[in-house]
């Protein structure tokens, strides 16, 4: 005989309460967070615009039913689509993430907090376009606030909790964070928002299958779009009064902890504030999985050194990459690479290309470049070894380095001096160097889609903090419509 299970409905789990109370009530006071959020907004939109050059991305965009449009729907930047906010979130989120070029957060869990912009911008534009007479016209200040809070929720959950170690993909954190902030934007009550966030955890969660050998594939490029669209859907469901599940995390046997987290409760390093946005990592120089960014930078330096010696990659006998544990676990890969998503998650590929060509661009993952036999030949000569100090510095809250060190051995016996890069150009400690390059990246991406006149109008609206924050959302998004 087993003891009867109590059917008394418990209070909401404390982690859900903390997320919801932060999303609904916390006031962001950090000027640095808002400034960084503006740079994040521009960079993220630019990444989405660049992705529109790739048919593998654009074939997924648009309405669910071909030709369907929604009057006063949410717009998709760089396109003419007007969609319901759920499908718009999928479109924007997919564009943002397609090239693995938007911001990054590295801790016990990894991820890309700006993925949440898919949900935030879709809902903000939809609300702004349908607010006539309500007196609640949303501005970009509201978007930046939502971005800061989504970054914080996703990033703080990631600090001490490794979802990848239990096989779950980090987009669960995008779904949870987006659900919380979108609920606030839609005007849900506290109870409704708690219900919505609980629904996000009740969902079946995405596996990391599509990020790892031998199954690495393009779903990793639209998984965040899927998560943001689901977040908007769940918030809208909760807005109808649909019930939630208070002990979704802690329920014995059936809760998230027991089913999906090996019985372990979440751990938290700090309360929610604006820490994550202030310290987020930007991908500025290379569209590459972030654990490889410093290795690619070192490889570009080595390419120049080889040229100065009258050598090329053909003279390389062996390359050793001294790196951190997370890099080895995610992107240390040998054997055939089957598609662009496979290649941008292989550190050997991302080092071989700049050693040969002195560059790494989004186009370098496509078949036209990947079929160059020199790349696979050099990949086979590249070995990763873990440096425990690099791993420790990666997890140190005061450093959060993403160090890689490359040593090149030549066929004539020469060993080039090791090139060590601890912090990528997009790191908080290199902001002074990075922000001008980030803005150049944004301008380059605008030029891909717009005439000089339209580009200049977008820049005029974007580069001044106060002016951008005061701009109505629908007015700003209109600048990106083609």
């Amino acid at each position: 005989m087993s003891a009867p299970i109590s059917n008394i409905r418990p209070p909401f789990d404390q982690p859900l309460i903390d997320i919801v109370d932060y999303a609904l009530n916390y006031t962001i006071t950090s000027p640095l967070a808002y400034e960084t959020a503006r740079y994040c907004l521009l960079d993220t939109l630019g990444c989405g615009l660049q992705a529109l050059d790739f048919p593998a991305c654009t074939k997924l965009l648009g309405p669910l039913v071909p030709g369907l449009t929604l009057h006063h729907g949410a717009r998709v930047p760089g396109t003419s689509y007007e969609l319901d906010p759920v499908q718009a979130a999928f479109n924007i989120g997919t564009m943002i993430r397609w090239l693995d070029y938007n911001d990054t957060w590295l801790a016990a869990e990894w991820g890309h907090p700006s993925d949440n912009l898919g949900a935030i911008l879709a809902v903000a534009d939809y609300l702004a376009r349908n607010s006539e007479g309500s007196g609640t016209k949303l501005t970009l200040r509201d978007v930046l606030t939502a971005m800061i809070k989504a970054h914080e929720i996703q990033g703080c959950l990631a600090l001490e909790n490794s979802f990848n170690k239990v096989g779950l993909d980090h987009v669960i954190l995008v779904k949870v964070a987006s659900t919380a902030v979108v609920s606030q934007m839609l005007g849900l009550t506290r109870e409704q928002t708690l219900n919505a966030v609980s629904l996000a955890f009740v969902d079946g969660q995405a596996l990391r299958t599509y990020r790892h050998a031998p199954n690495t594939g393009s779903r990793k490029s639209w998984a965040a779009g899927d998560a943001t669209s689901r977040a908007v859907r769940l918030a809208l469901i909760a807005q109808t009064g649909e019930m939630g599940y208070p002990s979704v995390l802690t329920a014995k046997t059936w809760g998230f902890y027991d089913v999906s987290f090996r019985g372990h409760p979440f751990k938290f390093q700090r309360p929610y504030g604006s820490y994550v946005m202030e310290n987020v990592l930007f991908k500025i120089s290379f569209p590459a999985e972030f654990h490889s960014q410093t290795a690619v930078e070192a490889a570009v330096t080595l390419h120049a050194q080889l040229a100065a010696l009258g050598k090329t990659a053909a003279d390389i006998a062996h390359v050793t990459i001294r790196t951190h544990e997370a890099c080895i676990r995610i992107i240390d890969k040998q054997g055939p690479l089957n598609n662009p998503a496979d290649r941008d998650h292989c550190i050997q590929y991302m080092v071989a290309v700049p050693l040969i060509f002195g560059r790494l661009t989004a186009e370098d993952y496509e078949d036209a470049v990947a079929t160059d036999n020199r790349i696979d030949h050099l990949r086979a000569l590249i070995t990763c070894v873990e440096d425990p100090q690099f791993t420790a510095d990666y997890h140190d809250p005061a450093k959060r380095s993403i160090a890689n060190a490359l040593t090149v051995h030549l066929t004539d016996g020469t060993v080039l001096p090791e090139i060590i890069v601890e912090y990528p150009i997009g790191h908080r400690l290199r902001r002074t160097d990075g922000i001008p390059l980030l803005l150049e990246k944004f301008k380059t991406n605008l030029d891909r889609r717009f005439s000089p006149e339209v580009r200049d109008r977008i820049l005029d609206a974007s580069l001044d903090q106060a002016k951008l924050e005061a701009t109505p959302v629908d007015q700003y998004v209109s600048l990106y419509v083609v």
Side-chain angles (χ1 to χ4, degrees), residues 14 38 51 123 193-194 246 270 293 396 416 424 445:
Q14 192 61 46
R38 178 172 64 88
V123 169
T193 307
L194 284 164
R270 60 194 307 119
Q293 290 277 321
D396 184 344
L416 300 184
N445 284 327

Side-chain angles (χ1 to χ4, degrees), residues 54-66:
F54 293 82
C57 173
T58 56
K59 70 183 176 67
L60 299 175
L61 305 184
L64 282 174
V65 178

Side-chain angles (χ1 to χ4, degrees), residues 405-469:
L406 270 61
T407 302
V408 171
H409 300 253
L410 301 181
T411 53
D412 64 5
T414 302
V415 180
L416 300 184
E418 183 182 58
I419 302 294
I420 304 174
V421 183
E422 289 190 83
Y423 300 97
I425 193 71
H427 196 278
R428 175 184 58 83
L429 298 180
R430 295 179 69 182
R431 282 283 193 266
T432 301
D433 296 330
I435 291 302
L437 298 176
L438 182 145
L439 293 176
E440 284 302 314
K441 176 186 170 188
F442 178 57
K443 293 174 185 177
T444 297
N445 284 327
L446 291 178
D447 283 331
R448 297 174 190 276
R449 305 300 302 175
F450 304 116
S451 68
E453 294 76 17
V454 174
R455 175 204 62 202
D456 289 345
R457 285 200 295 272
I458 294 173
L459 291 173
D460 180 65
S462 302
L463 298 184
D464 180 85
Q465 185 79 31
K467 183 175 183 178
L468 178 77
E469 289 187 13

